[in-house]
Every structure is written in C-alpha cells, then in structure tokens.
Amino acid sequence: MLGSIKGLKTTLSTMIRKPVTAEYPIPEKRLDIDKRFMGFPALLWDYSNDEPYCTGCMVCIRECPTLCMSATMSDNERFSEGKSTRKKIIESFEINLSRCIVCGICVDVCNFDAIEMSHEHELSKLKRNLNRVNLETLIDMGKQFQKKIGWKPLQIRNIGDPNLREHLKLKAKAEMAKISMKDGETKDHISNANDNLSSREGNSPQ
Amino acid sequence: MTWITAAWYVVGAFGLIVFLSITVMVLTWIERKFLARIQQRMGPMRVGPHGTLQPIADVIKLITKEDILPSWADRPIYWIAPLAIFVPAIAIWVTIPFSESLVLQNLDLGLFYIVAISILSVLGLVMAGWGSANKYAMLGALRAVGQLISYEIPFIMAILGVAMLSQSLSLIDIVNDQSRIANIIVQPLGFFIFLVAGLAELGRTPFDIYHAESEVVGGPFVEYSGAHWAIIQLAEYVNTFAVAALIALMFLGGWSWPSMPFSGLAYNLLSLMWFLVKIYGVVLLIFWIRGTYPRLRIDQLMSFGWKVLVPVSFINIIFTGIVQFYNLHWSILTLLSLISIFVISYLIYKRPNASYKQNSIKIVPAKDATELPPENYGESNAR
C-alpha cells in the first residue's frame, strides 16, 4: 500500500525532470559529434599552398578492402613553376561511400596526410548510386572537417609551400639542437627524437 | 414532442458527438505527452508545434487504412461489434450535465440510466471477441466479461453511497447538494472505491487485463483495423472521459465553486470551465496511474475485486446509512471512512492469510552432497 504511493511519487519526480531526448535530424537540436569520431574518408586541403595534399599515389586505393575508391594522377604544373613541392597532383578521385566500411586503412597507409576520416556519416539517399562522391565533394568534406576540429599537418615534409617547409625544417633542427645541448649524454634519445619528427606521433611543428 | 424539442435533441446529440470526438483527440495527445514525460521522453513533436496536430494525422491514417476482414470471421457480429461498443459510450453522455442548464436531457434516474447503459458495452466486447474468430480475441472477451461484471458491483455500490448522501439519482441534484462540501471530503472511501472500480471498468492500466498486449495481443480488438478500430478506440476514450466526468460530478462537486462572484452568462461559462478543469484533473490522475503501475494478474484482479472492493463498498454503504439514519454530522462519516481506509490498507499490507514461506529450493554445499534432500523437498507452502 505504501509502495504504491511511493511509485506515484517516483513517476511524479521523473515527470518534472527534463526529457533526455535529442531530436536527431533537426540541425540545432542534435548532439555534437565527438572529435575522435570516424566518419567517411575525406581529402584534406593544404591551405599553405592552395592545393590538396593528395598526389594520387594510389596507396589507399590498393589497400582498400572493399575496392570502393578510384583515382587518377596528373603532373603538377605548379611544381615546374617552383611554387609547390608536389611533382604530381590528384586529378580525379571517386569514393563510393555506400561501399566504404569506415575501416580507416586508407588513413593509416597514406604517406602525405592527404586523407582523413571526417565527421560525415549520414548517407540516406533515394537511389543506390547516389553516394558516389567525386573530388570536389571529398575536398569540401575535408575542408569542413579541418575547420571543425582545427586540423594541422603532422609532418613537415608534407607541407606544399617550399619556403614554409624550409623554414619549419630549420626551426625543428634548432629545437633538436637545443635538446642535445641540454642532454648531451643520451645520444640515442636524440636520434630517436629526430625520427619522431617525421612520424605521426610527433608534435605539430606549425 | 414539439418540433423545437426534436430539433434541440438532434442538434444537441450532433454537438455532443463532435465535442466528444474533439475531446478524444485532445485526450490521446495529452496521454502520449504525459506518459512520455513520465518516461523522460518528449512524445509526439513533429506534426505541428509540440505535436499538437498528431491526433489529426492519426485520424487520417486510421481512416485511410485498409479494413481487414478475417476469413473465418462471423461477419455480421464482427461488423456490428464496434457499434455495440460505441453506442453505449455515447449514450451515457445524454444525461451527464456540463453545467446546470447545459445538458441534453436531465433524467431523475440519471445515475441508474448510466449504470444500466454502461454495462451494455460488455456485450460489444464479447461480440468483437467471438466475431473475430481468433483465440486471443476470444480469451480477451472472456476476461473482459469476468472483469467488467465483477467490478460492476463496487462501481454501483459507490454510486449508491453518493445517491444516499444527496437523496437523489439526478446528477444535477447531486452537484447542487455538494455546493458547500464536496463528497470526496465526506466520503473518501466511496471516492477510492469508485476510482478503482472505474479504472477496472475502463480497462485502464493496472486493470488492462482484457486487452493486455503482452498476453492476449490486444484482446477483443486484435483483428480490427482502420476505421472500425478507430471507433473502438474512440469509445474507450469517451468512456475514460465519462468516468472522469462522473468522478468530478459525484465527488469533486461538479461545476460548483467555493464562492462565485458572477451571475448569468459569465457564471455559466465559468462554471463550465471549472467543471472541465476538474474533469481534466481526474483524467491526468488516471494517466498518471497508468504511467506508474504494472498490470495485475487475472487472479489478483479477481481476488481484489471480490475479497476487498465488494465488502468495502458494503461497509461504505452501511456507514453512510448509519450517519444518515441518526442524522449525525457529516464529519463523522469522514472519520469513519478514513479509519476504514487505513484499516483496510493495513490488512492488505499484512495479508494475514497469505504465507510467503517457500521451501521449494534448498541449497546443499558440494562437500555434503552425499546428504539426501528432505522428504518434503520441492513442496511449497505458498498458496
């Protein structure tokens, strides 16, 4: 008997609380996506040099387990003009997002920081083939993603602007020298640090 | 009967049906929202602002849906059953007054009429269950008969207690009699009995045994779809509203205010508003109960009905009779009612005849496994 009154009290207290529902498709009411979220792959844009990072090396295409990508490569005219460090540049790129299984292998194998798992994850389309995205869309997705999480390049050697690249290299070398001055005895560490500079775990030099 | 009275009946009946249909749409929306808030959801949000147009969308969907006839169905009975449920539900409203002057036809035996008509809906449920030629529908119909008939007794007895207090079966007289003190204060026991028996009559949640989705997949209405199902659903909500209105009229003082500063048209409008506020308050209480309690078992329902509610409703009438006969002050009846509520609650809580001892399981440690289980192993003392 007392329990039934307690039950009414419990429901009354939950009634007063705010609902926990997020009304999903409404843009301003949906929940934020985590920064670490892995959506579909997107091509990143090199803002220092106004061209994509991707050179069309086809590594991701060869490694893709579902064969959902295809690309073509062309000579980069800006390299011959001395404005870029990339000899080759991507000409066309297509991903069939309906086929993509969001495994992230393309990101792991890319040598140029050119592809990244973006936050794009909604694919409802009226037809089966409408999820094929071309280079423009991929770069748009990448730009949105870069803007959203404040993306910065991880490796100095991937920076397209030749002057900036040389500058950053010198700066990094100077930092290394500082460390070796401080800690001269452990030379192994220094050589390790030099290796780390060009690895993904290293601090962003920019 | 003159032409004017005939016209008044036609217009009034039409207006009543329109009013009740709109009310039912509002009620479905309120129920969904209210239950959602109890479960910390939002309920309908998409159609219209805060889902206010959801009932209209539901009606359109139900009307345009295909009406399916099971091949083994008993056709005439199957098609008439929704009407047999719907007509009594509407017919009750003929004599329920909205205010002192706004009533289709006040009857001197109004409460008697309501009781007589409301029991008719059982017939509709049985027809629906039989006509569907479906085992779940048949089981649901049988459950409905058992439940509704056994709860009709405390239902009528609670009404009788109120009728004894005001010496009338006319609802307007009953409301006017409560202009000073509402019956819920004089007779809390009667209110409790009427609320519980009313919930059981409606088949709302703690007593929704005959259309339990998890047991008999919707009871007598399994096979219905489209407009026929809509009519059955309409009748259920009209009945809910009717019971809420009866509670408001018989126990909460209907449209009577504590003190009314207005007169004339303003008085009528305000009393109508006040009455509707009371009804909706009771409706919310019913929805709140629905959001809180789980469903009873059929044997619990029957034992609660026959062992608790029926004797208690007789006690209520005896107390009322004693107080009326000796012309005692009304507060003595309040006191007696409250005392009996507490005594009954205590008795239910203690359950002197029930035994919770269960020795059906005995745990034997593995190292003593050579010991044999006792002779009476597996027997239970539980009822």
Side-chain angles (χ1 to χ4, degrees):
Chain A
M1 265 308 184
L2 280 176
S4 56
I5 295 165
K6 267 187 200 165
L8 286 176
K9 223 176 86 185
T10 308
T11 42
L12 188 68
S13 70
T14 53
M15 204 188 305
I16 295 163
R17 270 181 249 159
K18 228 181 139 190
V20 291
T21 316
E23 288 171 80
Y24 162 62
I26 300 172
E28 62 267 24
K29 285 183 183 170
R30 60 207 297 177
L31 297 178
D32 284 341
I33 294 168
D34 245 344
K35 200 177 168 184
R36 64 175 183 211
F37 181 82
M38 265 173 71
F40 291 107
L43 293 180
L44 300 179
W45 187 256
D46 189 354
Y47 281 101
S48 70
N49 208 23
D50 266 350
E51 61 184 17
Y53 280 101
C54 185
T55 58
C57 68
M58 310 284 272
V59 167
C60 50
I61 290 150
R62 268 181 273 128
E63 297 295 332
C64 181
T66 55
L67 308 175
C68 67
M69 302 170 165
S70 59
T72 51
M73 164 204 276
S74 65
D75 287 332
N76 193 3
E77 288 168 12
R78 300 184 65 199
F79 177 74
S80 50
E81 292 165 19
K83 286 179 187 168
S84 172
T85 57
R86 295 187 183 89
K87 285 182 192 167
K88 301 279 184 183
I89 199 80
I90 186 76
E91 190 181 53
S92 72
F93 203 108
E94 190 185 276
I95 304 182
N96 188 349
L97 295 184
S98 301
R99 261 181 128 171
C100 176
I101 56 169
V102 204
C103 59
I105 289 175
C106 46
V107 177
D108 289 344
V109 297
C110 184
N111 289 313
F112 302 106
D113 285 342
I115 196 163
E116 193 72 67
M117 303 308 268
S118 72
H119 286 174
E120 192 66 44
H121 60 281
E122 285 159 330
L123 298 170
S124 309
K125 294 279 156 41
L126 290 172
K127 278 181 188 164
R128 186 171 165 176
N129 244 351
L130 291 185
N131 277 319
R132 297 159 78 98
V133 287
N134 57 8
L135 184 63
E136 261 177 52
T137 328
L138 282 169
I139 284 173
D140 268 359
M141 281 159 65
K143 279 179 177 173
Q144 277 177 26
F145 172 72
Q146 278 169 294
K147 204 177 164 189
K148 199 170 165 193
I149 70 160
W151 188 89
K152 279 169 186 167
L154 300 173
Q155 303 175 53
I156 297 173
R157 66 183 168 89
N158 284 338
I159 288 169
D161 189 358
N163 303 327
L164 181 63
R165 181 158 119 175
E166 286 309 309
H167 172 70
L168 287 174
K169 259 188 182 171
L170 288 175
K171 206 174 155 190
K173 260 185 192 169
E175 256 174 45
M176 282 301 123
K178 250 187 205 171
I179 293 169
S180 60
M181 287 285 282
K182 265 185 200 166
D183 193 11
E185 290 171 12
T186 52
K187 287 191 176 172
D188 291 346
H189 281 164
I190 297 163
S191 56
N192 280 343
N194 269 321
D195 288 346
N196 279 342
L197 183 64
S198 56
S199 74
R200 295 186 71 84
E201 280 78 27
N203 285 330
S204 160
Q206 224 183 19
Chain B
M1 191 195 287
T2 59
W3 283 110
I4 296 167
T5 45
W8 157 243
Y9 284 142
V10 171
V11 171
F14 186 72
L16 198 63
I17 287 176
V18 169
F19 168 76
L20 286 176
S21 311
I22 293 168
T23 307
V24 166
M25 301 213 294
V26 174
L27 282 187
T28 53
W29 182 80
I30 290 178
E31 176 165 32
R32 291 177 67 175
K33 275 291 190 193
F34 199 72
L35 284 181
R37 290 312 294 261
I38 284 175
Q39 295 154 7
Q40 290 189 49
R41 296 182 286 115
M42 302 187 108
M45 286 296 280
R46 287 296 155 77
V47 195
H50 284 267
T52 35
L53 299 179
Q54 183 71 41
I56 295 168
D58 287 344
V59 166
I60 292 170
K61 173 236 171 191
L62 281 174
I63 288 174
T64 52
K65 208 174 156 182
E66 187 189 359
D67 223 342
I68 295 167
L69 176 74
S71 52
W72 289 89
D74 196 339
R75 280 191 181 205
I77 292 180
Y78 182 78
W79 290 133
I80 293 169
L83 277 183
I85 298 169
F86 179 70
V87 171
I90 294 289
I92 285 175
W93 281 88
V94 168
T95 189
I96 290 181
F98 287 94
S99 74
E100 205 156 354
S101 48
L102 191 60
V103 54
L104 195 59
Q105 178 62 56
N106 187 41
L107 300 174
D108 287 341
L109 292 173
L111 279 175
F112 193 70
Y113 168 83
I114 286 170
V115 166
I117 293 288
S118 70
I119 199 74
L120 276 181
S121 61
V122 179
L123 182 66
L125 294 175
V126 177
M127 283 164 74
W130 171 260
S132 304
N134 180 308
K135 56 191 169 191
Y136 296 115
M138 198 59 225
L139 276 175
L142 293 179
R143 284 177 171 201
V145 176
Q147 174 181 340
L148 298 192
I149 288 179
S150 52
Y151 275 81
E152 196 72 16
I153 296 166
F155 190 76
I156 295 168
M157 289 299 167
I159 289 177
L160 192 58
V162 174
M164 283 166 78
L165 275 182
S166 55
Q167 303 285 319
S168 169
L169 280 167
S170 156
L171 280 165
I172 289 183
D173 288 351
I174 288 174
V175 171
N176 288 336
D177 190 56
Q178 296 175 64
S179 55
R180 215 159 47 85
I181 310 135
N183 273 344
I184 186 172
I185 301 168
V186 183
Q187 219 181 43
L189 185 59
F191 171 75
F192 175 72
I193 295 164
F194 191 80
L195 181 65
V196 174
L199 284 178
E201 286 288 305
L202 296 171
R204 289 207 78 86
T205 283
F207 306 103
D208 63 341
I209 291 162
Y210 70 82
H211 48 63
E213 284 87 0
S214 49
E215 294 163 26
V216 286
V217 292
F221 322 128
V222 202
E223 298 289 356
Y224 285 95
S225 61
H228 283 81
W229 192 83
I231 285 178
I232 290 169
Q233 209 62 17
L234 185 69
E236 289 214 342
Y237 278 94
V238 168
N239 275 332
T240 306
F241 202 60
V243 166
L246 280 180
I247 289 175
L249 286 169
M250 294 186 346
F251 292 99
L252 303 180
W255 53 82
S256 54
W257 290 66
S259 65
M260 175 67 90
F262 301 101
S263 60
L265 185 66
Y267 170 79
N268 276 330
L269 279 178
L270 275 175
S271 54
L272 180 63
M273 298 285 284
W274 182 226
F275 179 50
L276 285 179
V277 164
K278 278 176 179 171
I279 296 180
Y280 275 101
V282 177
V283 164
L284 284 184
L285 175 69
I286 291 173
F287 291 162
W288 184 14
I289 289 171
R290 183 186 164 184
T292 306
Y293 298 133
R295 186 185 308 132
L296 294 176
R297 248 185 297 136
I298 185 94
D299 61 317
Q300 290 169 334
L301 174 98
M302 283 300 169
S303 67
F304 185 69
W306 289 106
K307 293 181 192 165
V308 180
L309 273 190
V310 172
V312 166
S313 58
F314 279 106
I315 288 172
N316 181 38
I317 284 183
I318 290 166
F319 282 163
T320 315
I322 289 170
V323 170
Q324 294 283 91
F325 185 75
Y326 292 106
N327 260 331
L328 300 173
H329 194 249
W330 58 266
S331 57
I332 292 169
L333 183 53
T334 311
L335 205 64
L336 284 173
S337 273
L338 285 177
I339 288 169
S340 45
I341 284 182
F342 283 119
V343 168
I344 291 152
S345 311
Y346 184 72
L347 287 181
I348 294 172
Y349 179 64
K350 292 305 271 189
R351 303 231 319 193
N353 289 328
S355 164
Y356 289 107
K357 281 182 199 160
Q358 291 199 350
N359 57 1
S360 55
I361 294 171
K362 192 189 177 197
I363 297 166
V364 181
K367 60 177 181 178
D368 304 334
T370 50
E371 187 188 315
L372 286 172
E375 281 289 303
N376 61 347
Y377 179 76
E379 284 174 27
S380 162
N381 287 345
R383 281 187 303 168

